Amino acid sequence: MSTTVEADGTEVMISHPDKVYFTERGETKLDLVRYYQAVAEPLLATLRGRPVLLERFPEGAGGKSFFQKRVPKSAPPWLRTTVVSTPNGTTSDALVAADLAHLLWAVNQGCLGFHVWPYHADTPEVADELRIDLDPSPGVRFPQVQEAAVRTGELLDELGVEAHLKTSGSRGLHVYVPLQPRWDSYQVRASAVALARELERRHPELITAQWWKEERGARVFVDFNQNAPHKTVFGAWCARPRAGAQVSTPIGWDELAEVVPESLTIATVPARLAERGDPWAGAPGRPQSLEPLLERSERDLASGLADAPWPPVYPKQPGEPPRVSPSRARRD
């Protein structure tokens, strides 16, 4: 059994449309297709033209999954792909979110997670988004993450940087800054490190910039390495592979105090969008400068601070401290 949907002038075949993808309410593959059709305009405003890494769940949320780095050769000829690299230099052909038809094709493949590169396929040398991942450490509850988001917004506002907020679809929050097309991922990551360190200085009981988990305590970690070259972040308006079909949903800063992330699902977000509109509307047309954060990065390095540790899959970086946890360093 199959059905065909039209998107952007392309007919996309949806096989087994009644297959249950999300068990909490029994939502199907076709329900997910209809969701993306309902939010297509804001979804494509954030994803269009960007490479996406596909997280596939052939049996639906909760089943076995894998990341698909390469679009299969059997894919339809109208699909647009682009060459992307991993930290170790391996290349692959990734799907480009060229239009809604491309995303619906991926949904038909069992994709329940779109992980998005911070650049457009046409300009891979330029990272045009700063993505601030507020990651709750064990023992941290959501009100602490909300407070960390408030403090992040205050600092960015003080620096004259306009930022935008979304739920992660899980336990955290993401703060996004659309950037002028002037910097690469190394500079964007350096800015994220500087932001994390300044937030920790100002709010040491709430926020941490410590890469090693043993040093974080019950604080919100600002995961600066989500901005490292070739890293992806879960896309705005995208459904997560959870039984309740939660969505990583853009929200207004004025909604932060009352938001309940668990309630933002493929069943509720379309009506919310129709009622409230897109909180990120127009944001790409107001790109921001990284200069205030880069200046802080330069001051930190001039004061003797080393670069923050990089993830283990990356080659050793200039100025990086020894890539070993503090407890192991003490034993050695």
Side-chain angles (χ1 to χ4, degrees), residues 57-314:
F57 289 75
E59 301 306 317
K64 293 182 178 180
S65 67
F66 62 94
F67 285 98
Q68 182 160 348
K69 299 178 181 179
R70 295 172 176 82
V71 171
K73 296 187 182 302
S74 59
W78 51 264
L79 278 186
R80 183 184 172 195
T81 65
T82 190
V83 176
V84 298
S85 298
T86 61
N88 63 13
T90 302
T91 60
S92 59
D93 288 324
L95 182 70
V96 176
D99 56 25
L100 183 61
H102 283 67
L103 300 178
L104 298 187
W105 171 85
V107 169
N108 187 54
Q109 306 301 308
C111 179
L112 300 185
F114 291 101
H115 300 261
V116 187
W117 265 264
Y119 59 76
H120 288 83
D122 292 338
T123 53
E125 70 281 0
V126 175
D128 63 358
E129 286 182 340
L130 169 64
R131 298 159 171 192
I132 303 157
D133 181 7
L134 301 175
D135 184 14
S137 302
V140 171
R141 297 184 179 274
F142 189 64
Q144 292 169 268
V145 185
Q146 290 169 297
E147 185 180 354
V150 170
R151 303 308 172 206
T152 302
E154 288 174 345
L155 175 54
L156 290 169
D157 187 61
E158 178 186 317
L159 297 175
V161 176
E162 179 184 338
H164 307 274
L165 186 64
K166 73 179 178 74
T167 65
S168 70
S170 185
R171 299 178 60 237
L173 290 166
H174 297 158
V175 180
Y176 272 43
V177 178
L179 298 175
Q180 298 165 5
R182 298 168 51 194
W183 298 283
D184 62 22
S185 290
Y186 291 92
Q187 293 166 301
V188 175
R189 178 189 175 275
S191 297
V193 171
L195 177 71
R197 286 172 166 172
E198 182 62 23
L199 285 168
E200 183 182 61
R201 290 185 197 106
R202 296 187 181 200
H203 312 286
E205 301 302 316
L206 173 67
I207 295 173
T208 178
Q210 301 306 311
W211 173 249
W212 300 105
K213 291 182 179 180
E214 64 190 53
E215 296 188 314
R216 294 179 193 172
R219 294 182 289 177
V220 178
F221 172 52
V222 182
D223 190 353
F224 46 83
N225 274 328
Q226 290 298 94
N227 294 276
H230 317 300
K231 288 287 283 185
T232 60
V233 173
F234 202 89
W237 303 103
C238 294
R240 296 209 69 129
R242 301 179 63 192
Q246 277 75 24
V247 172
S248 182
T249 310
I251 62 174
W253 286 99
D254 59 342
E255 302 175 87
L256 175 57
E258 304 299 329
V259 69
V260 180
E262 291 293 309
S263 70
L264 300 174
T265 72
I266 66 170
T268 62
V269 167
R272 186 180 186 278
L273 174 64
E275 177 185 352
R276 299 171 181 258
D278 176 10
W280 288 12
R286 300 187 299 273
Q288 304 294 297
S289 174
L290 270 184
E291 293 296 346
L293 287 170
L294 288 173
E295 289 171 3
R296 277 164 170 72
S297 174
E298 291 168 3
R299 286 206 297 266
D300 283 346
L301 297 177
S303 71
L305 280 176
D307 189 6
W310 286 65
V313 295
Y314 283 77

